[in-house]
Amino acid sequence: MTQVVRSAKAFAPMLTLALSLAASSAVMAQVPTGAVIPRPAAVTPAPGVFALNEATVLITPRGDAEALRAATYFADLMRRTRGLSLTVREGEAAPGAVVFRRDLGAAADAYRLDVGPRGAVIAAGDFGGLLYGAISLWQLATTEAGQGAATIPAVAVADAPRFGWRGVMLDSARHYQSPEFIKGFIDWMALHKLNVFHWHLTDDQAWRLEIKRYPRLTEVGGWRVHAGAAAQKDIDPATGRPRLYGGIYTQDQVRDIVAYAAARNIVVVPEIDVPGHASAAIAAYPELGVTDVPGAAVPAVPADWGVYPTLFNVEEATLVFFENVMDEVVDLFPSEYVHIGGDEAVKDQWKASPRVQERMRELGLADEEKLQSWFVARLEKRLNDHGRRMIGWDEILEGGINPSASVMSWRGVEGAIEAARLGHDTVMSPAPVLYFDNRQSADDGAPGRGFTSTLRDVYSFDPTPDELTPEQARRVLGVQGNLFSEHMRTEDRVEYQAFPRISALAEMAWTPHARMDFADFRTRLEPQLVRYRSLGIDYATSGLTEVSATPPADGQRRYDHQMKLCSAALPLSLIDDAPLEGERPALLMDILNPCWIYQSADLSKGLRFEAAVGQVPFNFQIGADRDKIRLGTPRTPAGELEVRIGGCEGEPALILPLAEAAGNDGITTLSGQLPARAGRHDLCLKFTQKELDPMWGVDWVRVSDPAKREED
């Protein structure tokens, strides 16, 4: 069984090496590192340069398949990014060559790279080290943009990762990504020396993984109808019903992806979420659900985001079902770990079910948290029987877990701290900083969660907080960034949200903490962006410059993200519901209080007011919080946009009917005249409407002198 991810104790040698290298000289921290990301543990410049050109031969030891694979990977990178065709052969070292060599004493994933005028040597004890040494050499060869031969300054690099779990989670349940995209994404992870691909395959909105024994999991669970009026009107002529959206991963496709990842030193950790996030599976097999609670049935795979009350029941047949599922999962994924979710399992259905309560008494369990722990423990035993380990989100701590279970902390760092104190291995993956569905800067108008997690925020996160003792800190297996895809409808959007923040994640996960330097990282990021372009990575530019929050002046469009939300209880940047294909605006709002402030408008002459508005489906499972949302009483059937001056109370200064906009699935521009008032004033924007679904949002606002014609 492949075990790329090992226990915390197994990482100690590489961590010790990295730290000792970093501390070996007070001058070392000032040594330039070229354009290598993540920053190496130790870099020593040497005299001379190495000319890498088409005459350069890559030499590997005879019969060493892993060295051959690493050399071939390097040759492919040079071909794709500089157009160089390099020869790879087995044999003895020769002048002018790049030599791959085994160093049996090296720690996992560690390497040495020595570049001189007569060639380069990459030495490592395992495939990971050989691959990462090759990637560092490639980065040195692509510090300057261009094609053809590269000149590399002579240098000695001694490097090892700080953590053994350097991961990214991709959510393929909320939105499906093609196998081709996933393989490309894995390739890009490898270029950052990341080594764990956490694959979120099941959730309320889809079950993507083919299970041979239970075919309806994908036949039914892999497909749904988009939320919103536009999707309801998109009728599939073959069925006469709204068109289904989705996709599945066959077992052959999964095996191909797992093998592709392994060839890049990446282990794929699957996630099968239990006992919550269960709607898609229950839509396929209703007997898995809580059947004796009114309203608990799941007639179709839902399209709402948020936290559903739907849970699996706790009958013996359901546990056997999931044991059978896990048997197929471990056959597909040779990873040491399998992720069982365990998060956001609202216990209302279990509490309301006479049968579940009876089952708790049969099992002698005190409460529903203990019941979840019992459920999880059954699956963990099945995994242990296969020689695997369980990991779950930090909620699995609440009812108690077995000592061998590991914890992934997402609700801040507290779950990881508690897990480490209790003697559990843990992975740091906290929201919001490592949730890449958050926006990348204050001026980022992309869809996603409304909080910001900047490049600097990601880079500055320390996976071993001061609250941990040295012994507890050794329980931190590593760190992971998460790409939950509710608001990433397309593969391009996944790339945009992931890059370049993945570069910051990679350096934070790899580089000794004493070597971290954001200004130096930002300098090395520029050639990294050139590599992104050469490899076709669609990265975001919005967070590359740390801009002030000064909004555009009056007379210019001021977009929703350039205004102030009246509150930030649950801010989201939401995609309008039409058109179904192509680009759509993102509407930023606090869905618990849809209200916007246009700050400091000069009303001394009276102003023309324009607002571009649109609708989004209210497809959010937020429980009782839905009842707390207050909407203004409409004067007309379609409702109105109300504009108030100086505050959100009192009578509106301008009322714009929504009748025209209500019949448009896209964006509609409304306009009117604001009264003159001395000085500058904030404008408060709110909507009135009869029903919460769909919800109105603002794309942009412009206030301008009515005597002037402003350009768009």
Side-chain angles (χ1 to χ4, degrees):
M1 178 178 64
T2 302
Q3 292 194 0
V4 175
V5 180
R6 304 174 179 88
S7 69
K9 292 181 180 178
F11 296 144
M14 72 175 80
L15 179 58
T16 301
L17 170 64
L19 292 175
S20 64
L21 290 170
S24 61
S25 170
V27 180
M28 187 61 68
Q30 307 302 318
V31 174
T33 55
V36 177
I37 292 178
R39 192 182 197 189
V43 178
T44 306
V49 296
F50 171 46
L52 194 153
N53 52 47
E54 293 210 352
T56 303
V57 177
L58 312 180
I59 299 177
T60 66
R62 297 187 190 279
D64 191 331
E66 291 182 338
L68 182 63
R69 193 191 313 157
T72 302
Y73 191 80
F74 174 79
D76 182 62
L77 280 175
M78 294 303 298
R79 178 189 58 77
R80 285 191 284 157
T81 55
R82 293 197 72 92
L84 277 178
S85 296
L86 302 175
T87 300
V88 181
R89 65 174 174 81
E90 297 180 333
E92 301 301 322
V98 175
V99 178
F100 291 75
R101 179 177 296 161
R102 287 289 184 169
D103 178 1
L104 299 180
D109 291 348
Y111 68 91
R112 286 193 61 89
L113 170 62
D114 293 288
V115 181
R118 293 173 57 81
V121 176
I122 298 167
D126 61 4
F127 171 65
L130 293 169
L131 179 69
Y132 297 148
I135 288 170
S136 291
L137 181 61
W138 166 69
Q139 289 184 316
L140 291 171
T142 52
T143 299
E144 301 292 337
Q147 292 287 295
T151 300
I152 305 173
V155 67
V157 177
D159 204 6
R162 181 184 181 193
F163 294 108
W165 187 303
R166 306 179 301 279
V168 176
M169 188 223 72
L170 178 61
D171 171 12
S172 295
R174 273 54 175 267
H175 286 293
Y176 172 82
Q177 303 93 27
S178 69
E180 292 73 25
F181 173 81
I182 289 172
K183 288 165 72 173
F185 191 86
I186 286 170
D187 209 14
W188 301 333
M189 284 179 60
L191 298 181
H192 294 78
K193 302 185 177 76
L194 297 167
N195 68 339
V196 179
F197 178 65
H198 173 180
W199 201 3
H200 189 80
L201 288 163
T202 75
D203 216 296
D204 288 297
Q205 297 81 9
W207 182 292
R208 301 287 184 211
L209 177 64
E210 180 189 23
I211 301 297
K212 298 284 191 182
R213 188 161 181 166
Y214 304 111
R216 287 177 60 83
L217 284 173
T218 46
E219 291 171 357
V220 173
W223 307 88
R224 68 175 187 263
V225 177
H226 273 306
Q232 293 297 323
K233 292 183 289 188
D234 181 30
I235 303 300
D236 185 345
T239 64
R241 298 176 180 176
R243 195 181 309 274
L244 292 173
Y245 159 82
I248 69 168
Y249 303 105
T250 68
Q251 294 199 357
D252 286 343
Q253 289 172 328
V254 168
R255 288 190 175 93
D256 182 50
I257 289 169
V258 169
Y260 190 90
R264 287 146 183 81
N265 201 48
I266 291 174
V267 64
V268 182
V269 174
E271 181 180 352
I272 306 298
D273 213 337
V274 297
H277 293 288
S279 300
I282 292 173
Y285 292 97
E287 65 272 21
L288 298 176
V290 178
T291 58
D292 61 345
V293 173
V298 183
V301 178
D304 285 6
W305 312 132
V307 181
Y308 286 79
T310 307
L311 296 185
F312 295 114
N313 66 46
V314 291
E315 298 297 327
E316 182 64 20
T318 299
L319 271 295
V320 171
F321 178 98
F322 277 103
E323 287 174 339
N324 293 335
V325 167
M326 289 302 173
D327 289 347
E328 294 195 34
V329 167
V330 298
D331 183 57
L332 292 169
F333 298 92
S335 56
E336 179 181 2
Y337 281 98
V338 173
H339 203 298
I340 55 81
D343 62 312
E344 298 177 329
V346 178
K347 307 299 192 299
D348 293 354
Q349 288 185 1
W350 281 1
K351 291 176 180 178
S353 166
R355 174 54 189 155
V356 171
Q357 294 300 308
E358 180 185 14
R359 186 80 167 123
M360 285 173 54
R361 290 190 292 272
E362 292 172 0
L363 296 168
L365 300 174
D367 54 37
E368 288 75 19
E369 282 67 33
K370 294 292 185 184
L371 182 60
Q372 177 170 335
S373 293
W374 171 83
F375 192 114
V376 166
R378 275 284 297 269
L379 299 187
E380 182 182 15
K381 182 180 184 304
R382 193 67 158 211
L383 293 173
N384 294 161
D385 289 344
H386 287 284
R388 311 303 177 86
R389 296 181 66 188
M390 183 194 81
I391 189 169
W393 301 109
D394 53 66
E395 286 96 328
I396 67 174
L397 286 167
E398 292 172 0
I401 56 174
N402 292 331
S404 63
S406 299
V407 175
M408 185 171 283
S409 185
W410 75 274
R411 297 179 299 177
V413 301
E414 290 75 18
I417 292 171
E418 181 183 359
R421 286 174 176 168
L422 293 172
H424 297 285
D425 291 341
T426 187
V427 175
M428 285 287 192
S429 189
V433 64
L434 295 186
Y435 270 48
F436 293 165
D437 50 343
N438 284 295
R439 297 186 300 141
Q440 304 184 63
S441 69
D443 63 342
D444 187 351
R449 296 183 182 271
F451 298 107
T452 58
S453 177
T454 67
L455 198 66
R456 184 188 292 271
D457 291 336
V458 175
Y459 191 89
S460 301
F461 175 73
D462 185 359
T464 55
D466 293 340
E467 294 91 329
L468 296 176
T469 67
E471 178 63 29
Q472 292 164 354
R474 283 192 282 274
R475 286 290 181 181
V476 178
L477 298 178
V479 66
Q480 177 175 291
N482 291 335
L483 286 158
F484 281 106
S485 67
E486 290 97 328
H487 310 296
M488 301 179 200
R489 184 170 54 98
T490 65
E491 294 169 351
D492 287 347
R493 185 62 62 191
V494 173
E495 292 178 50
Y496 178 93
Q497 294 295 105
F499 299 96
R501 286 186 290 191
I502 274 182
S503 278
L505 170 74
E507 186 147 317
M508 177 257 292
W510 178 282
T511 303
H513 193 60
R515 292 275 288 160
M516 300 284 286
D517 183 327
F518 184 75
D520 179 69
F521 165 78
R522 191 61 187 83
T523 299
R524 286 177 285 116
L525 186 61
E526 291 306 313
Q528 183 83 327
L529 299 179
V530 175
R531 297 185 196 105
Y532 285 174
R533 291 192 289 272
S534 69
L535 293 168
I537 299 175
D538 185 19
Y539 65 90
T541 60
S542 62
L544 294 176
T545 304
E546 298 184 55
V547 298
S548 68
T550 304
D554 292 349
Q556 302 177 37
R557 288 186 178 185
R558 193 176 294 186
Y559 284 87
D560 47 9
H561 60 274
Q562 297 167 325
M563 294 187 286
K564 179 182 177 182
L565 295 179
C566 299
S567 57
L570 187 51
L572 297 171
S573 185
L574 301 169
I575 300 174
D576 191 9
D577 72 339
L580 289 176
E581 301 297 334
E583 286 300 312
R584 294 184 273 181
L587 307 178
L588 177 64
M589 66 180 75
D590 179 353
I591 67 168
L592 298 182
N593 179 27
C595 173
W596 298 258
I597 301 294
Y598 182 106
Q599 294 177 287
S600 191
D602 184 357
L603 300 181
S604 56
K605 296 181 180 179
L607 292 174
R608 173 182 170 82
F609 177 91
E610 297 171 278
V613 302
Q615 301 173 77
V616 293
F618 190 88
N619 60 321
F620 308 105
Q621 292 288 321
I622 55 174
D625 284 341
R626 181 183 175 117
D627 299 331
K628 300 176 184 178
I629 301 172
R630 296 290 177 258
L631 301 173
T633 303
R635 300 165 179 81
T636 58
E640 297 83 26
L641 171 63
E642 297 180 336
V643 184
R644 292 175 172 81
I645 297 174
C648 294
E649 305 302 324
E651 291 299 311
L654 179 62
I655 300 172
L656 299 175
L658 295 170
E660 177 187 358
N664 179 11
D665 286 335
I667 295 295
T668 303
T669 302
L670 309 176
S671 63
Q673 185 74 20
L674 286 167
R677 192 168 294 184
R680 291 188 170 274
H681 302 271
D682 291 348
L683 306 177
C684 176
L685 284 63
K686 284 187 172 183
F687 291 97
T688 68
Q689 58 187 110
K690 291 181 179 179
E691 304 291 339
L692 192 55
D693 186 20
M695 178 173 274
W696 288 97
V698 175
D699 185 24
W700 55 264
V701 169
R702 177 166 55 196
V703 295
S704 58
D705 186 338
K708 297 179 180 179
R709 175 61 182 162
E710 303 293 344
E711 298 296 328
D712 285 345

